[in-house]
PDB file of all heavy atoms in Angstrom:
ATOM      1  N   LEU A 283       0.399  18.957  -6.829  1.00 98.00           N
ATOM      2  CA  LEU A 283       0.383  18.289  -5.521  1.00 98.00           C
ATOM      3  C   LEU A 283      -0.972  18.445  -4.845  1.00 98.00           C
ATOM      4  O   LEU A 283      -1.485  17.495  -4.242  1.00 98.00           O
ATOM      5  CB  LEU A 283       1.495  18.850  -4.634  1.00 98.00           C
ATOM      6  CG  LEU A 283       2.921  18.596  -5.118  1.00 98.00           C
ATOM      7  CD1 LEU A 283       3.920  19.293  -4.212  1.00 98.00           C
ATOM      8  CD2 LEU A 283       3.205  17.111  -5.199  1.00 98.00           C
ATOM      9  N   LEU A 284      -1.557  19.638  -4.928  1.00 98.00           N
ATOM     10  CA  LEU A 284      -2.870  19.870  -4.321  1.00 98.00           C
ATOM     11  C   LEU A 284      -3.944  19.030  -5.007  1.00 98.00           C
ATOM     12  O   LEU A 284      -4.797  18.441  -4.336  1.00 98.00           O
ATOM     13  CB  LEU A 284      -3.229  21.353  -4.374  1.00 98.00           C
ATOM     14  CG  LEU A 284      -4.557  21.736  -3.728  1.00 98.00           C
ATOM     15  CD1 LEU A 284      -4.580  21.338  -2.247  1.00 98.00           C
ATOM     16  CD2 LEU A 284      -4.826  23.223  -3.890  1.00 98.00           C
ATOM     17  N   THR A 285      -3.884  18.938  -6.330  1.00 97.00           N
ATOM     18  CA  THR A 285      -4.837  18.098  -7.058  1.00 97.00           C
ATOM     19  C   THR A 285      -4.704  16.644  -6.617  1.00 97.00           C
ATOM     20  O   THR A 285      -5.708  15.972  -6.336  1.00 97.00           O
ATOM     21  CB  THR A 285      -4.604  18.217  -8.577  1.00 97.00           C
ATOM     22  OG1 THR A 285      -4.781  19.576  -8.959  1.00 97.00           O
ATOM     23  CG2 THR A 285      -5.560  17.334  -9.353  1.00 97.00           C
ATOM     24  N   GLY A 286      -3.467  16.161  -6.546  1.00 97.00           N
ATOM     25  CA  GLY A 286      -3.245  14.789  -6.083  1.00 97.00           C
ATOM     26  C   GLY A 286      -3.743  14.581  -4.664  1.00 97.00           C
ATOM     27  O   GLY A 286      -4.379  13.563  -4.363  1.00 97.00           O
ATOM     28  N   LEU A 287      -3.471  15.547  -3.793  1.00 97.00           N
ATOM     29  CA  LEU A 287      -3.916  15.443  -2.402  1.00 97.00           C
ATOM     30  C   LEU A 287      -5.434  15.397  -2.301  1.00 97.00           C
ATOM     31  O   LEU A 287      -5.987  14.572  -1.571  1.00 97.00           O
ATOM     32  CB  LEU A 287      -3.368  16.606  -1.583  1.00 97.00           C
ATOM     33  CG  LEU A 287      -3.784  16.650  -0.110  1.00 97.00           C
ATOM     34  CD1 LEU A 287      -3.276  15.421   0.628  1.00 97.00           C
ATOM     35  CD2 LEU A 287      -3.288  17.926   0.537  1.00 97.00           C
ATOM     36  N   LEU A 288      -6.108  16.270  -3.028  1.00 97.00           N
ATOM     37  CA  LEU A 288      -7.576  16.283  -2.977  1.00 97.00           C
ATOM     38  C   LEU A 288      -8.168  14.986  -3.515  1.00 97.00           C
ATOM     39  O   LEU A 288      -9.130  14.457  -2.942  1.00 97.00           O
ATOM     40  CB  LEU A 288      -8.120  17.491  -3.746  1.00 97.00           C
ATOM     41  CG  LEU A 288      -7.830  18.849  -3.122  1.00 97.00           C
ATOM     42  CD1 LEU A 288      -8.288  19.973  -4.051  1.00 97.00           C
ATOM     43  CD2 LEU A 288      -8.483  18.975  -1.754  1.00 97.00           C
ATOM     44  N   LEU A 289      -7.608  14.467  -4.594  1.00 96.00           N
ATOM     45  CA  LEU A 289      -8.100  13.201  -5.146  1.00 96.00           C
ATOM     46  C   LEU A 289      -7.850  12.043  -4.174  1.00 96.00           C
ATOM     47  O   LEU A 289      -8.744  11.220  -3.930  1.00 96.00           O
ATOM     48  CB  LEU A 289      -7.446  12.915  -6.494  1.00 96.00           C
ATOM     49  CG  LEU A 289      -7.894  13.814  -7.645  1.00 96.00           C
ATOM     50  CD1 LEU A 289      -7.001  13.608  -8.865  1.00 96.00           C
ATOM     51  CD2 LEU A 289      -9.355  13.557  -7.992  1.00 96.00           C
ATOM     52  N   VAL A 290      -6.647  11.986  -3.620  1.00 96.00           N
ATOM     53  CA  VAL A 290      -6.318  10.908  -2.671  1.00 96.00           C
ATOM     54  C   VAL A 290      -7.197  11.014  -1.420  1.00 96.00           C
ATOM     55  O   VAL A 290      -7.743  10.019  -0.946  1.00 96.00           O
ATOM     56  CB  VAL A 290      -4.821  10.940  -2.304  1.00 96.00           C
ATOM     57  CG1 VAL A 290      -4.523  10.073  -1.100  1.00 96.00           C
ATOM     58  CG2 VAL A 290      -3.976  10.493  -3.488  1.00 96.00           C
ATOM     59  N   ALA A 291      -7.349  12.222  -0.887  1.00 96.00           N
ATOM     60  CA  ALA A 291      -8.162  12.406   0.312  1.00 96.00           C
ATOM     61  C   ALA A 291      -9.620  12.044   0.046  1.00 96.00           C
ATOM     62  O   ALA A 291     -10.270  11.395   0.865  1.00 96.00           O
ATOM     63  CB  ALA A 291      -8.054  13.845   0.813  1.00 96.00           C
ATOM     64  N   GLY A 292     -10.139  12.456  -1.123  1.00 95.00           N
ATOM     65  CA  GLY A 292     -11.526  12.138  -1.464  1.00 95.00           C
ATOM     66  C   GLY A 292     -11.752  10.653  -1.640  1.00 95.00           C
ATOM     67  O   GLY A 292     -12.713  10.089  -1.099  1.00 95.00           O
ATOM     68  N   ILE A 293     -10.873  10.001  -2.385  1.00 95.00           N
ATOM     69  CA  ILE A 293     -10.997   8.549  -2.572  1.00 95.00           C
ATOM     70  C   ILE A 293     -10.804   7.838  -1.233  1.00 95.00           C
ATOM     71  O   ILE A 293     -11.515   6.888  -0.910  1.00 95.00           O
ATOM     72  CB  ILE A 293      -9.998   8.047  -3.626  1.00 95.00           C
ATOM     73  CG1 ILE A 293     -10.382   8.577  -5.003  1.00 95.00           C
ATOM     74  CG2 ILE A 293      -9.923   6.525  -3.638  1.00 95.00           C
ATOM     75  CD1 ILE A 293      -9.351   8.319  -6.082  1.00 95.00           C
ATOM     76  N   GLY A 294      -9.842   8.321  -0.438  1.00 95.00           N
ATOM     77  CA  GLY A 294      -9.605   7.726   0.871  1.00 95.00           C
ATOM     78  C   GLY A 294     -10.821   7.809   1.767  1.00 95.00           C
ATOM     79  O   GLY A 294     -11.116   6.877   2.524  1.00 95.00           O
ATOM     80  N   CYS A 295     -11.553   8.914   1.691  1.00 95.00           N
ATOM     81  CA  CYS A 295     -12.786   9.057   2.492  1.00 95.00           C
ATOM     82  C   CYS A 295     -13.808   7.991   2.128  1.00 95.00           C
ATOM     83  O   CYS A 295     -14.586   7.556   2.977  1.00 95.00           O
ATOM     84  CB  CYS A 295     -13.406  10.441   2.283  1.00 95.00           C
ATOM     85  SG  CYS A 295     -12.582  11.753   3.181  1.00 95.00           S
ATOM     86  N   VAL A 296     -13.796   7.580   0.872  1.00 95.00           N
ATOM     87  CA  VAL A 296     -14.775   6.601   0.390  1.00 95.00           C
ATOM     88  C   VAL A 296     -14.317   5.174   0.677  1.00 95.00           C
ATOM     89  O   VAL A 296     -15.123   4.336   1.101  1.00 95.00           O
ATOM     90  CB  VAL A 296     -15.029   6.795  -1.123  1.00 95.00           C
ATOM     91  CG1 VAL A 296     -15.910   5.699  -1.678  1.00 95.00           C
ATOM     92  CG2 VAL A 296     -15.638   8.168  -1.384  1.00 95.00           C
ATOM     93  N   ILE A 297     -13.042   4.875   0.450  1.00 95.00           N
ATOM     94  CA  ILE A 297     -12.620   3.465   0.512  1.00 95.00           C
ATOM     95  C   ILE A 297     -11.930   3.063   1.808  1.00 95.00           C
ATOM     96  O   ILE A 297     -11.845   1.875   2.098  1.00 95.00           O
ATOM     97  CB  ILE A 297     -11.725   3.092  -0.693  1.00 95.00           C
ATOM     98  CG1 ILE A 297     -10.397   3.842  -0.659  1.00 95.00           C
ATOM     99  CG2 ILE A 297     -12.451   3.306  -1.998  1.00 95.00           C
ATOM    100  CD1 ILE A 297      -9.391   3.369  -1.708  1.00 95.00           C
ATOM    101  N   TRP A 298     -11.418   4.023   2.571  1.00 95.00           N
ATOM    102  CA  TRP A 298     -10.732   3.681   3.811  1.00 95.00           C
ATOM    103  C   TRP A 298     -11.674   3.837   4.996  1.00 95.00           C
ATOM    104  O   TRP A 298     -12.460   4.775   5.042  1.00 95.00           O
ATOM    105  CB  TRP A 298      -9.545   4.607   4.065  1.00 95.00           C
ATOM    106  CG  TRP A 298      -8.400   4.493   3.121  1.00 95.00           C
ATOM    107  CD1 TRP A 298      -8.049   3.434   2.354  1.00 95.00           C
ATOM    108  CD2 TRP A 298      -7.435   5.523   2.850  1.00 95.00           C
ATOM    109  NE1 TRP A 298      -6.928   3.730   1.626  1.00 95.00           N
ATOM    110  CE2 TRP A 298      -6.528   4.999   1.909  1.00 95.00           C
ATOM    111  CE3 TRP A 298      -7.253   6.815   3.314  1.00 95.00           C
ATOM    112  CZ2 TRP A 298      -5.458   5.721   1.419  1.00 95.00           C
ATOM    113  CZ3 TRP A 298      -6.178   7.543   2.827  1.00 95.00           C
ATOM    114  CH2 TRP A 298      -5.295   7.000   1.894  1.00 95.00           C
ATOM    115  N   PRO A 299     -11.562   2.947   5.994  1.00 97.00           N
ATOM    116  CA  PRO A 299     -12.259   3.215   7.251  1.00 97.00           C
ATOM    117  C   PRO A 299     -11.662   4.473   7.900  1.00 97.00           C
ATOM    118  O   PRO A 299     -10.521   4.848   7.612  1.00 97.00           O
ATOM    119  CB  PRO A 299     -11.989   1.987   8.112  1.00 97.00           C
ATOM    120  CG  PRO A 299     -11.119   1.079   7.332  1.00 97.00           C
ATOM    121  CD  PRO A 299     -10.829   1.689   6.008  1.00 97.00           C
ATOM    122  N   LYS A 300     -12.432   5.105   8.753  1.00 96.00           N
ATOM    123  CA  LYS A 300     -12.014   6.362   9.379  1.00 96.00           C
ATOM    124  C   LYS A 300     -10.647   6.239  10.057  1.00 96.00           C
ATOM    125  O   LYS A 300      -9.806   7.134   9.957  1.00 96.00           O
ATOM    126  CB  LYS A 300     -13.070   6.804  10.386  1.00 96.00           C
ATOM    127  CG  LYS A 300     -12.759   8.082  11.094  1.00 96.00           C
ATOM    128  CD  LYS A 300     -13.858   8.427  12.087  1.00 96.00           C
ATOM    129  CE  LYS A 300     -13.477   9.607  12.932  1.00 96.00           C
ATOM    130  NZ  LYS A 300     -14.472   9.882  13.963  1.00 96.00           N
ATOM    131  N   GLU A 301     -10.423   5.126  10.758  1.00 97.00           N
ATOM    132  CA  GLU A 301      -9.168   4.940  11.486  1.00 97.00           C
ATOM    133  C   GLU A 301      -7.972   4.887  10.526  1.00 97.00           C
ATOM    134  O   GLU A 301      -6.909   5.434  10.809  1.00 97.00           O
ATOM    135  CB  GLU A 301      -9.203   3.659  12.329  1.00 97.00           C
ATOM    136  CG  GLU A 301     -10.234   3.676  13.437  1.00 97.00           C
ATOM    137  CD  GLU A 301     -11.657   3.390  12.960  1.00 97.00           C
ATOM    138  OE1 GLU A 301     -11.837   2.861  11.829  1.00 97.00           O
ATOM    139  OE2 GLU A 301     -12.603   3.701  13.703  1.00 97.00           O
ATOM    140  N   LEU A 302      -8.149   4.218   9.392  1.00 97.00           N
ATOM    141  CA  LEU A 302      -7.070   4.120   8.413  1.00 97.00           C
ATOM    142  C   LEU A 302      -6.804   5.490   7.784  1.00 97.00           C
ATOM    143  O   LEU A 302      -5.652   5.880   7.589  1.00 97.00           O
ATOM    144  CB  LEU A 302      -7.399   3.084   7.335  1.00 97.00           C
ATOM    145  CG  LEU A 302      -6.312   2.834   6.286  1.00 97.00           C
ATOM    146  CD1 LEU A 302      -5.024   2.351   6.944  1.00 97.00           C
ATOM    147  CD2 LEU A 302      -6.798   1.834   5.251  1.00 97.00           C
ATOM    148  N   TRP A 303      -7.876   6.233   7.493  1.00 96.00           N
ATOM    149  CA  TRP A 303      -7.716   7.575   6.931  1.00 96.00           C
ATOM    150  C   TRP A 303      -6.919   8.445   7.894  1.00 96.00           C
ATOM    151  O   TRP A 303      -6.001   9.160   7.481  1.00 96.00           O
ATOM    152  CB  TRP A 303      -9.085   8.195   6.646  1.00 96.00           C
ATOM    153  CG  TRP A 303      -9.031   9.374   5.724  1.00 96.00           C
ATOM    154  CD1 TRP A 303      -9.264   9.357   4.385  1.00 96.00           C
ATOM    155  CD2 TRP A 303      -8.743  10.729   6.066  1.00 96.00           C
ATOM    156  NE1 TRP A 303      -9.122  10.626   3.877  1.00 96.00           N
ATOM    157  CE2 TRP A 303      -8.801  11.499   4.889  1.00 96.00           C
ATOM    158  CE3 TRP A 303      -8.425  11.393   7.245  1.00 96.00           C
ATOM    159  CZ2 TRP A 303      -8.573  12.860   4.853  1.00 96.00           C
ATOM    160  CZ3 TRP A 303      -8.192  12.761   7.218  1.00 96.00           C
ATOM    161  CH2 TRP A 303      -8.265  13.472   6.025  1.00 96.00           C
ATOM    162  N   MET A 304      -7.251   8.368   9.162  1.00 97.00           N
ATOM    163  CA  MET A 304      -6.545   9.175  10.167  1.00 97.00           C
ATOM    164  C   MET A 304      -5.089   8.718  10.316  1.00 97.00           C
ATOM    165  O   MET A 304      -4.193   9.549  10.499  1.00 97.00           O
ATOM    166  CB  MET A 304      -7.262   9.114  11.514  1.00 97.00           C
ATOM    167  CG  MET A 304      -8.620   9.807  11.509  1.00 97.00           C
ATOM    168  SD  MET A 304      -8.559  11.526  11.009  1.00 97.00           S
ATOM    169  CE  MET A 304      -7.635  12.230  12.347  1.00 97.00           C
ATOM    170  N   ALA A 305      -4.850   7.418  10.238  1.00 97.00           N
ATOM    171  CA  ALA A 305      -3.476   6.917  10.319  1.00 97.00           C
ATOM    172  C   ALA A 305      -2.649   7.433   9.142  1.00 97.00           C
ATOM    173  O   ALA A 305      -1.517   7.889   9.323  1.00 97.00           O
ATOM    174  CB  ALA A 305      -3.467   5.385  10.351  1.00 97.00           C
ATOM    175  N   HIS A 306      -3.205   7.374   7.946  1.00 97.00           N
ATOM    176  CA  HIS A 306      -2.513   7.879   6.763  1.00 97.00           C
ATOM    177  C   HIS A 306      -2.303   9.389   6.872  1.00 97.00           C
ATOM    178  O   HIS A 306      -1.241   9.895   6.491  1.00 97.00           O
ATOM    179  CB  HIS A 306      -3.301   7.542   5.494  1.00 97.00           C
ATOM    180  CG  HIS A 306      -3.085   6.142   5.020  1.00 97.00           C
ATOM    181  ND1 HIS A 306      -2.691   5.861   3.742  1.00 97.00           N
ATOM    182  CD2 HIS A 306      -3.217   4.947   5.637  1.00 97.00           C
ATOM    183  CE1 HIS A 306      -2.579   4.551   3.593  1.00 97.00           C
ATOM    184  NE2 HIS A 306      -2.905   3.972   4.737  1.00 97.00           N
ATOM    185  N   PHE A 307      -3.290  10.087   7.383  1.00 97.00           N
ATOM    186  CA  PHE A 307      -3.164  11.530   7.586  1.00 97.00           C
ATOM    187  C   PHE A 307      -1.997  11.819   8.536  1.00 97.00           C
ATOM    188  O   PHE A 307      -1.195  12.712   8.297  1.00 97.00           O
ATOM    189  CB  PHE A 307      -4.477  12.102   8.148  1.00 97.00           C
ATOM    190  CG  PHE A 307      -4.418  13.579   8.400  1.00 97.00           C
ATOM    191  CD1 PHE A 307      -4.512  14.485   7.362  1.00 97.00           C
ATOM    192  CD2 PHE A 307      -4.283  14.058   9.697  1.00 97.00           C
ATOM    193  CE1 PHE A 307      -4.467  15.849   7.595  1.00 97.00           C
ATOM    194  CE2 PHE A 307      -4.230  15.427   9.949  1.00 97.00           C
ATOM    195  CZ  PHE A 307      -4.321  16.321   8.891  1.00 97.00           C
ATOM    196  N   GLY A 308      -1.902  11.033   9.600  1.00 98.00           N
ATOM    197  CA  GLY A 308      -0.809  11.184  10.562  1.00 98.00           C
ATOM    198  C   GLY A 308       0.552  10.948   9.924  1.00 98.00           C
ATOM    199  O   GLY A 308       1.516  11.658  10.212  1.00 98.00           O
ATOM    200  N   VAL A 309       0.637   9.959   9.042  1.00 98.00           N
ATOM    201  CA  VAL A 309       1.891   9.703   8.337  1.00 98.00           C
ATOM    202  C   VAL A 309       2.245  10.903   7.466  1.00 98.00           C
ATOM    203  O   VAL A 309       3.389  11.379   7.473  1.00 98.00           O
ATOM    204  CB  VAL A 309       1.809   8.413   7.485  1.00 98.00           C
ATOM    205  CG1 VAL A 309       3.028   8.265   6.588  1.00 98.00           C
ATOM    206  CG2 VAL A 309       1.649   7.191   8.376  1.00 98.00           C
ATOM    207  N   GLY A 310       1.275  11.409   6.728  1.00 98.00           N
ATOM    208  CA  GLY A 310       1.520  12.562   5.869  1.00 98.00           C
ATOM    209  C   GLY A 310       1.994  13.774   6.652  1.00 98.00           C
ATOM    210  O   GLY A 310       2.974  14.433   6.275  1.00 98.00           O
ATOM    211  N   VAL A 311       1.331  14.063   7.767  1.00 98.00           N
ATOM    212  CA  VAL A 311       1.719  15.199   8.607  1.00 98.00           C
ATOM    213  C   VAL A 311       3.110  14.974   9.203  1.00 98.00           C
ATOM    214  O   VAL A 311       3.942  15.887   9.231  1.00 98.00           O
ATOM    215  CB  VAL A 311       0.665  15.451   9.713  1.00 98.00           C
ATOM    216  CG1 VAL A 311       1.171  16.443  10.742  1.00 98.00           C
ATOM    217  CG2 VAL A 311      -0.640  15.939   9.097  1.00 98.00           C
ATOM    218  N   GLY A 312       3.368  13.769   9.661  1.00 98.00           N
ATOM    219  CA  GLY A 312       4.684  13.456  10.230  1.00 98.00           C
ATOM    220  C   GLY A 312       5.808  13.603   9.216  1.00 98.00           C
ATOM    221  O   GLY A 312       6.878  14.125   9.532  1.00 98.00           O
ATOM    222  N   VAL A 313       5.551  13.159   7.995  1.00 98.00           N
ATOM    223  CA  VAL A 313       6.549  13.273   6.933  1.00 98.00           C
ATOM    224  C   VAL A 313       6.813  14.745   6.624  1.00 98.00           C
ATOM    225  O   VAL A 313       7.970  15.172   6.527  1.00 98.00           O
ATOM    226  CB  VAL A 313       6.084  12.514   5.666  1.00 98.00           C
ATOM    227  CG1 VAL A 313       6.917  12.892   4.447  1.00 98.00           C
ATOM    228  CG2 VAL A 313       6.130  11.009   5.903  1.00 98.00           C
ATOM    229  N   VAL A 314       5.748  15.531   6.479  1.00 98.00           N
ATOM    230  CA  VAL A 314       5.920  16.955   6.179  1.00 98.00           C
ATOM    231  C   VAL A 314       6.650  17.664   7.322  1.00 98.00           C
ATOM    232  O   VAL A 314       7.551  18.475   7.090  1.00 98.00           O
ATOM    233  CB  VAL A 314       4.564  17.622   5.876  1.00 98.00           C
ATOM    234  CG1 VAL A 314       4.687  19.138   5.845  1.00 98.00           C
ATOM    235  CG2 VAL A 314       4.004  17.110   4.555  1.00 98.00           C
ATOM    236  N   ALA A 315       6.291  17.343   8.558  1.00 98.00           N
ATOM    237  CA  ALA A 315       6.953  17.983   9.698  1.00 98.00           C
ATOM    238  C   ALA A 315       8.432  17.614   9.758  1.00 98.00           C
ATOM    239  O   ALA A 315       9.297  18.486   9.929  1.00 98.00           O
ATOM    240  CB  ALA A 315       6.255  17.587  11.005  1.00 98.00           C
ATOM    241  N   THR A 316       8.735  16.344   9.591  1.00 98.00           N
ATOM    242  CA  THR A 316      10.123  15.881   9.673  1.00 98.00           C
ATOM    243  C   THR A 316      10.981  16.456   8.551  1.00 98.00           C
ATOM    244  O   THR A 316      12.031  17.067   8.791  1.00 98.00           O
ATOM    245  CB  THR A 316      10.176  14.346   9.630  1.00 98.00           C
ATOM    246  OG1 THR A 316       9.399  13.824  10.713  1.00 98.00           O
ATOM    247  CG2 THR A 316      11.599  13.837   9.726  1.00 98.00           C
ATOM    248  N   PHE A 317      10.551  16.248   7.317  1.00 98.00           N
ATOM    249  CA  PHE A 317      11.345  16.730   6.191  1.00 98.00           C
ATOM    250  C   PHE A 317      11.260  18.247   6.061  1.00 98.00           C
ATOM    251  O   PHE A 317      12.181  18.877   5.531  1.00 98.00           O
ATOM    252  CB  PHE A 317      10.935  16.030   4.897  1.00 98.00           C
ATOM    253  CG  PHE A 317      11.410  14.610   4.841  1.00 98.00           C
ATOM    254  CD1 PHE A 317      10.563  13.567   5.175  1.00 98.00           C
ATOM    255  CD2 PHE A 317      12.709  14.308   4.464  1.00 98.00           C
ATOM    256  CE1 PHE A 317      10.998  12.254   5.140  1.00 98.00           C
ATOM    257  CE2 PHE A 317      13.158  13.001   4.427  1.00 98.00           C
ATOM    258  CZ  PHE A 317      12.300  11.971   4.766  1.00 98.00           C
ATOM    259  N   GLY A 318      10.172  18.846   6.546  1.00 98.00           N
ATOM    260  CA  GLY A 318      10.066  20.300   6.559  1.00 98.00           C
ATOM    261  C   GLY A 318      11.125  20.929   7.454  1.00 98.00           C
ATOM    262  O   GLY A 318      11.705  21.965   7.114  1.00 98.00           O
ATOM    263  N   LEU A 319      11.396  20.308   8.589  1.00 98.00           N
ATOM    264  CA  LEU A 319      12.468  20.803   9.456  1.00 98.00           C
ATOM    265  C   LEU A 319      13.832  20.699   8.779  1.00 98.00           C
ATOM    266  O   LEU A 319      14.659  21.605   8.889  1.00 98.00           O
ATOM    267  CB  LEU A 319      12.480  20.041  10.785  1.00 98.00           C
ATOM    268  CG  LEU A 319      11.427  20.442  11.798  1.00 98.00           C
ATOM    269  CD1 LEU A 319      11.421  19.481  12.985  1.00 98.00           C
ATOM    270  CD2 LEU A 319      11.655  21.869  12.268  1.00 98.00           C
ATOM    271  N   VAL A 320      14.052  19.590   8.089  1.00 97.00           N
ATOM    272  CA  VAL A 320      15.311  19.436   7.351  1.00 97.00           C
ATOM    273  C   VAL A 320      15.429  20.530   6.295  1.00 97.00           C
ATOM    274  O   VAL A 320      16.479  21.173   6.160  1.00 97.00           O
ATOM    275  CB  VAL A 320      15.411  18.031   6.707  1.00 97.00           C
ATOM    276  CG1 VAL A 320      16.650  17.927   5.820  1.00 97.00           C
ATOM    277  CG2 VAL A 320      15.412  16.941   7.781  1.00 97.00           C
TER     278      VAL A 320
END
């Protein structure tokens, strides 16, 4: 999972605009927070 995250984050830094990267980051954090509580 960490390898996948680092690759996705690195590629995202290159191909996504900053706003899109932050939006995706927010989705990831929201998913972890929500399902983490469950």
Side-chain angles (χ1 to χ4, degrees):
L283 296 176
L284 182 59
T285 300
L287 178 62
L288 292 174
L289 289 170
V290 166
I293 292 171
C295 282
V296 173
I297 66 172
W298 293 336
K300 180 181 173 185
E301 296 79 17
L302 183 59
W303 197 97
M304 292 303 294
H306 279 234
F307 179 77
V309 171
V311 169
V313 166
V314 168
T316 302
F317 287 98
L319 282 172
V320 174

